[in-house]
Amino acid sequence: PWAVQLRLWVYPVHTGEAFGLATKALSALAALGLALFAVTGVCMWWTRQPAGKLGLPRKPNVAVPIWMIGVMVALG
């Protein structure tokens, strides 16, 4: 069946064995890029924060509806 064929194709791609060294190099670059996003995010926050403060945004004047909190929890 097509589902079995798809599974037999997806697993080698996921583990990096499908196209040899090129897939492993691409996966390594993607992982390094994601790690770089985390590091640069912290660096950007560190340089933009006001002295002596955390640099968090101000609390909104409008209350957040309960349904919106539920949507955020469900999506999380």
Side-chain angles (χ1 to χ4, degrees):
W2 66 270
V4 174
Q5 293 297 322
L6 181 67
R7 182 181 165 108
L8 289 174
W9 181 78
V10 167
Y11 182 74
V13 171
H14 175 73
T15 58
E17 298 171 1
F19 303 111
L21 188 59
T23 306
K24 291 181 182 181
L26 187 62
S27 297
L29 285 173
L32 288 173
L34 288 173
L36 187 63
F37 280 151
V39 170
T40 56
V42 170
C43 290
M44 288 170 61
W45 167 78
W46 194 270
T47 57
R48 290 180 55 100
Q49 78 174 7
K53 295 184 179 180
L54 281 179
L56 299 174
R58 284 181 254 140
K59 186 176 178 182
N61 295 332
V62 180
V64 178
I66 294 294
W67 66 267
M68 190 177 292
I69 294 173
V71 168
M72 288 188 287
V73 169
L75 291 175

